[in-house]
């Protein structure tokens, strides 16, 4: 017998449909195609989120998680000033995610989890999850490869003044672990928007916020210090993210609201 492929696209429609039950999860990785400075590839977020999804599914082969193909474009309007960036508009991405949710529902799925690899997608994905719950009755979930401080995550390394959100130590280290052939550290430069500290109530973790494009923050559009990156730090960060996603998927499989019966 052919073993069940965790990649949904490698199975027939009837086989996928037959495999879906009340605990099954459709897992949709979402990346971006955007400028990450001169030292990292445009597809950084998509590469990382796909590797994370594959590793998480491989860690629990019989968990009922069905991996959808990575959505390699995201909402990257903050990097559109930089050549090479390709962004969907917020309206388009919301429409794509609504179509995805409708199709998931039609296939018989009840649980859809978005695995996000790009901080600029986060706010819109939260809205999309709520909208899909209301419009299609799905249980929807949002998971993060790593939640950056500008989206409510913890501050980054103190050597980056807690501001390493894009192409810095963390992201560059993960790429050095996953795809060192795509990283050119000779082009890496420290780029920290220290001016943010002048506005403690409007900063990345303040009660107020300001909208920004990446070249508002630093001339290169990198926000962090990639010169500190190492493959060892990347391995540690990646493996921690896999463990986090695996644990979250376990909870998603059994999640139900108090007014619903357990799946
Ligand atoms: Zn990125």
């Amino acid at each position: 017998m052919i073993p069940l492929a965790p990649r949904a696209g490698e199975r027939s429609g009837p086989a996928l449909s037959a495999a879906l039950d009340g605990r099954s999860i459709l897992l949709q990785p979402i990346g971006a195609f955007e400028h990450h400075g001169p030292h990292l590839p445009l597809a950084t977020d998509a590469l990382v989120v796909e590797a994370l999804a594959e590793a998480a599914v491989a860690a629990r082969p019989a968990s009922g998680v069905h991996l959808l193909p990575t959505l390699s474009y995201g909402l990257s309007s903050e990097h559109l000033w930089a050549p090479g960036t390709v962004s969907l508009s917020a309206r388009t991405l919301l429409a794509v995610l609504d179509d995805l949710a409708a199709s998931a529902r039609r296939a018989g799925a009840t649980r859809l989890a978005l695995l996000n690899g790009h901080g600029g997608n986060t706010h819109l994905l939260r809205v999309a999850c709520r909208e899909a719950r209301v419009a299609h009755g799905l249980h929807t979930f949002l998971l993060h490869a790593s939640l950056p401080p500008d989206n409510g995550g913890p501050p980054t390394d103190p050597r980056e003044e807690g501001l390493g959100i894009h192409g810095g130590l963390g992201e560059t280290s993960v790429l050095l672990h996953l795809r060192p052939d795509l990283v050119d550290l000779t082009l890496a430069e420290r780029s920290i928007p220290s001016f943010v500290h002048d506005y403690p109530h409007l900063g990345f973790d303040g009660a107020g916020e300001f909208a920004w494009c990446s070249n508002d923050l630093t001339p290169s559009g990198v926000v962090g210090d990639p010169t500190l990156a190492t493959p060892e730090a990347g391995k540690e960060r990646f493996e921690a993210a896999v463990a986090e996603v695996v644990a979250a998927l376990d909870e998603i499989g059994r999640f139900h609201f108090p007014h619903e019966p357990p799946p």
Side-chain angles (χ1 to χ4, degrees), residues 34 36 44-45 166 171:
E34 65 182 32
H36 274 78
T44 290
D45 295 342
H166 186 65
E171 207 165 27

Side-chain angles (χ1 to χ4, degrees), residues 170 173-174 177 230-244:
S173 293
V174 171
H177 168 57
T230 65
E232 294 76 20
K235 181 172 191 289
E236 192 177 323
R237 190 180 164 101
F238 182 75
E239 288 175 354
V242 172
E244 191 66 34

Side-chain angles (χ1 to χ4, degrees), residues 32 34-36 40-46 48 79 117-119 165-168 171:
E34 65 182 32
H35 174 68
H36 274 78
L40 289 178
L42 291 160
T44 290
D45 295 342
V48 171
H79 305 291
H118 167 49
I165 62 166
H166 186 65
E171 207 165 27

